[in-house]
Amino acid sequence: MYLAANGRPDAPPRTPGARRRVPATVLALGAVSLVTDISSEMVTAVLPLYLVLGLGLTPLQFGFLDGMFNGATALVRLLGGRLADRRGHHKRVAGAGYLLSALSRLGLLLAGSATGAIAAALAADRLGKGIRTAPRDALISLSGPPETLGRSFGVHRAMDTTGALLGPLAAFAVLWATADAYDAVFAVSFCTGLLGVLLLVVYVPAAPGPATAPPAPPASPASRAAPPRPSVLRDPAFRRVLYASTLLGATTIGDSFLYLLLLRGLDLPPVLFTLLPLGAAAVYLLLAVPAGRIADRTGRRTAFLIGHAALLGAYALLLAPVGAPTVVGVLALLGVFYAATDGVLMALAAPALPAAGRAGGLAVLQTGQALARLVGAAGFGAAWTLWGSRPALWAAALALAGALAAASRIMPAAVPAASPIAPEAP
């Protein structure tokens, strides 16, 4: 069990070597994510225009395709984590996911107006993202000492967000240079995605790093006949982190709803909808590394809960009369929320997981949170439809306040480090 000098048990002890450089593997994976996000966000920025205005799909058809594949991504993460843990091939599984996403851009380029081919390309992109996420985060967590994981994840998320900011700008630059040729955007995105795969192959080592444990011994014939329950789910500290993060995820209504509420409150033109995410992303980019460092020093549990308190503050601002300061405040609080929760949650849970099962454990955590957020977004949408936006937002704020109080009691004050290998039950 970790006990910090300031009395906070969830902060690992600082050692003389803790103030070291960010591991090279983390920087390499950050570069891969930066380039891949440029590729991905180029397509995301123009896809609604291409499908709805260019090919004539209805918004309902586009929303169904996007929602269905986003839901499938959450479940595919379990497969990616399991495959990575089976033989310790985190880099290979992550690389397969990155390559699949890159090839999906080629699929869009070749699909033309065939709806089925477009759906297959979108499915390949979401599957690739789902497969690579848990092995990538496991590589980050295994590449350096536990006491600096918050900073490592903060650096990675900052580089990832940089790509998310540059992607739409690159897409619009290509459209401007080619007189709205969507095929050119897909072609440039495909080449950029392949560059990300190349960076992974060349610069990311196959072995995660000093925290890596040897692979688990082969299972006995009896255990192969009846697969046991994953050992990570039997760890009490990990289960409590999972329950708390899932509960909070179910009260997270989704960024798009917050942006829609801002647009309606100010009666702004719909074209500005695409610019609002850039404000939150910019704050996230600025705060990701500082938030990770603060979480390492003062406690990751505390930072994670404060991040959700910032989200509750955004809800409260939207319940007040909406003006220009409201927009700035909501976007700033949303950026704080992501900076204090996204990578911090992975840094909080990773030390409790055995190295031989870390990708699978992180996949369980990510999947639980993602599915809970889908439920939360669907519930808020239904409440908005039935009651109106303001009563629905009041209900969401009260639910988040209750979940935050419950999570502060559920989430363990200390997350003990796991043994190198946690054997599964016979």
Side-chain angles (χ1 to χ4, degrees), residues 44-64:
T44 300
V46 303
L47 198 59
L49 300 175
Y50 175 65
L51 295 180
V52 176
L53 300 181
L55 300 184
L57 268 67
T58 66
L60 178 61
Q61 289 173 318
F62 173 70
F64 175 77

Side-chain angles (χ1 to χ4, degrees), residues 33-52:
S33 292
L34 189 156
V35 172
T36 301
D37 254 34
I38 292 176
S39 170
S40 176
E41 294 302 322
M42 285 182 68
V43 174
T44 300
V46 303
L47 198 59
L49 300 175
Y50 175 65
L51 295 180
V52 176

Side-chain angles (χ1 to χ4, degrees), residues 7 22 33 38 46 66 95 103 116 136 152 167 175 232 235 264 273 289 337 339-340 360 379 381 383 392 407:
V22 175
S33 292
I38 292 176
V46 303
D66 191 59
L103 293 176
R136 180 204 65 201
S152 292
L175 287 177
V232 294
D235 183 272
R264 289 183 53 147
F273 182 86
V289 177
F337 163 67

Side-chain angles (χ1 to χ4, degrees), residues 8-425:
R8 291 188 176 274
D10 56 333
R14 296 184 60 80
T15 61
R19 296 183 63 84
R20 63 185 71 183
R21 295 181 178 178
V22 175
T25 298
V26 175
L27 295 177
L29 286 169
V32 172
S33 292
L34 189 156
V35 172
T36 301
D37 254 34
I38 292 176
S39 170
S40 176
E41 294 302 322
M42 285 182 68
V43 174
T44 300
V46 303
L47 198 59
L49 300 175
Y50 175 65
L51 295 180
V52 176
L53 300 181
L55 300 184
L57 268 67
T58 66
L60 178 61
Q61 289 173 318
F62 173 70
F64 175 77
L65 286 175
D66 191 59
M68 180 179 63
F69 294 138
N70 279 329
T73 299
L75 298 176
V76 174
R77 291 179 186 180
L78 296 174
L79 175 62
R82 184 67 175 174
L83 290 175
D85 284 337
R86 180 166 295 177
R87 295 184 179 275
H89 292 161
H90 299 78
K91 177 181 176 178
R92 292 185 184 180
V93 176
Y98 281 112
L99 180 60
L100 186 59
S101 291
L103 293 176
S104 72
R105 324 286 191 244
L106 183 61
L108 286 172
L109 184 62
L110 300 177
S113 60
T115 305
I118 292 172
L122 291 177
D125 176 49
R126 301 304 195 272
L127 289 174
K129 183 176 181 179
I131 289 172
R132 71 179 182 251
T133 301
R136 180 204 65 201
D137 284 352
L139 278 171
I140 294 172
S141 71
L142 292 167
S143 298
E147 61 267 22
T148 61
L149 284 183
R151 182 182 62 174
S152 292
F153 276 102
V155 169
H156 175 267
R157 295 314 196 250
M159 297 178 73
D160 183 89
T161 306
T162 301
L165 287 171
L166 294 177
L169 299 178
F172 288 120
V174 173
L175 287 177
W176 178 79
T178 60
D180 294 339
Y182 293 104
D183 287 353
V185 174
F186 299 149
V188 174
S189 175
F190 168 64
C191 295
T192 308
L194 286 184
L195 175 60
V197 176
L198 180 62
L199 290 175
L200 178 78
V201 172
V202 175
Y203 292 107
V204 176
T212 306
S220 63
S223 63
R224 285 196 298 265
R229 183 185 181 187
S231 60
V232 294
L233 296 181
R234 298 201 310 272
D235 183 272
F238 177 78
R239 284 205 310 269
R240 291 170 66 182
V241 172
L242 174 63
Y243 297 156
S245 62
T246 301
L247 177 62
L248 289 168
T251 58
T252 302
I253 65 177
D255 302 352
S256 296
F257 284 120
L258 299 182
Y259 301 146
L260 286 172
L261 289 169
L262 287 174
L263 286 177
R264 289 183 53 147
L266 292 175
D267 195 23
L268 297 174
V271 68
L272 294 180
F273 182 86
T274 58
L275 300 180
L276 291 175
L278 297 180
V283 175
Y284 181 18
L285 172 61
L286 292 174
L287 296 182
V289 177
R293 292 178 65 92
I294 292 173
D296 285 338
R297 293 178 178 178
T298 64
R300 295 159 191 163
R301 170 186 178 274
T302 302
F304 184 71
L305 295 176
I306 289 176
H308 283 86
L311 181 63
L312 181 59
Y315 292 0
L317 281 180
L318 286 169
L319 287 169
V322 177
T326 306
V327 177
V328 176
V330 169
L331 295 182
L333 288 171
L334 194 58
V336 172
F337 163 67
Y338 281 114
T341 59
D342 187 12
V344 170
L345 178 61
M346 298 297 103
L348 171 66
L353 297 168
R358 186 160 297 181
L362 293 181
V364 170
L365 184 62
Q366 294 164 354
T367 300
Q369 189 179 54
L371 292 178
R373 286 181 174 178
L374 284 176
V375 172
F380 181 79
W384 187 337
T385 303
L386 294 174
W387 305 333
S389 60
R390 189 172 181 81
L393 187 58
W394 267 110
L398 292 174
L400 178 55
L404 191 56
S408 66
R409 298 181 64 87
I410 296 172
M411 187 166 284
V415 180
S419 58
I421 299 177
E424 296 180 340

